[in-house]
Amino acid sequence: MTALPTNLTPGTYVADPTHTQASFTVRHAGISKVRGTVPVTEATIVVGDDVESSSVTATLDATAISTGDAGRDGHLQSADFFSTDVNPTWTFSSTSVTADGDDFKVVGDLTIAGVTKPVTLNLEYTGSATDPFGNPRAAFEASTTISRKEWGITWNAALEAGGVLVSDKVAIALDVSAIKQA
């Protein structure tokens, strides 16, 4: 049993979608990066009496993926990438939470484009506060890097000078502000 961080009280926390974001970064043409966001529509963090009895579930709206370029966003939503007409949401469900020094490892199943694979999120608890409306909040940051090929997302284009247009590795980052439920 690993004790909870100071100021984090057990209970069920629900992500505030207006203060929660999932983002991704992928290398483009081998020389630059494309960044984008995917809205987190639901997320529940159950903080148990200890770290190991805690859990996380989340749903993201892949139909609203945004990179700042409507053409690219449409391509990402197509069958070349995420097939959002068939798989409009992505989900995450933890299978374990463990301490890693002052931080945590959250292992779980990530479903993207209808394919489910295990991932490990590196999680940092960034603090708790009471907002101006009296709501107790807790905040977390998480990150991982995945291989898009593991989810069957293999579209690419060869570059004239060698290499490919879109890298296989995708960095994922989450910023979550969650409100403790009564």
Side-chain angles (χ1 to χ4, degrees), residues 54-126:
S54 300
S55 64
V56 178
T57 59
T59 302
L60 290 79
D61 181 2
T63 66
I65 195 166
S66 176
T67 63
D69 181 283
R72 180 173 43 226
D73 296 347
H75 190 204
L76 289 172
Q77 293 170 8
S78 77
D80 283 345
F81 286 91
F82 303 121
S83 299
T84 62
D85 58 331
V86 177
N87 301 294
T89 59
W90 300 345
T91 61
F92 176 81
S93 182
S94 67
T95 56
S96 71
V97 180
T98 56
D100 183 30
D102 290 338
D103 296 325
F104 306 91
K105 298 283 185 191
V106 180
V107 177
D109 295 322
L110 176 62
T111 302
I112 297 176
V115 176
T116 302
K117 296 285 183 181
V119 297
T120 300
L121 297 174
N122 301 304
L123 180 89
E124 178 186 357
Y125 164 67
T126 58

Side-chain angles (χ1 to χ4, degrees), residues 11-59:
T12 299
Y13 294 77
V14 175
D16 174 355
T18 64
H19 292 97
T20 297
Q21 178 176 307
S23 62
F24 62 89
T25 305
V26 63
R27 188 72 62 188
H28 178 261
I31 59 171
S32 64
K33 293 180 180 178
V34 169
R35 292 173 171 78
T37 59
V38 182
V40 178
T41 56
E42 296 177 29
T44 301
I45 302 160
V46 177
V47 177
D49 290 328
D50 55 59
V51 170
E52 293 80 7
S53 62
S54 300
S55 64
V56 178
T57 59
T59 302

Side-chain angles (χ1 to χ4, degrees), residues 119-178:
V119 297
T120 300
L121 297 174
N122 301 304
L123 180 89
E124 178 186 357
Y125 164 67
T126 58
S128 295
T130 300
D131 69 22
F133 307 102
N135 298 310
R137 288 180 177 262
F140 307 88
E141 293 178 1
S143 63
T144 193
T145 299
I146 64 170
S147 162
R148 62 189 183 92
K149 290 177 186 172
E150 290 183 14
W151 276 264
I153 302 166
T154 59
W155 182 91
N156 226 324
L159 298 175
E160 185 176 308
V164 292
L165 186 63
V166 183
S167 71
D168 178 48
K169 299 296 180 192
V170 180
I172 298 171
L174 300 148
D175 290 302
V176 178
S177 178

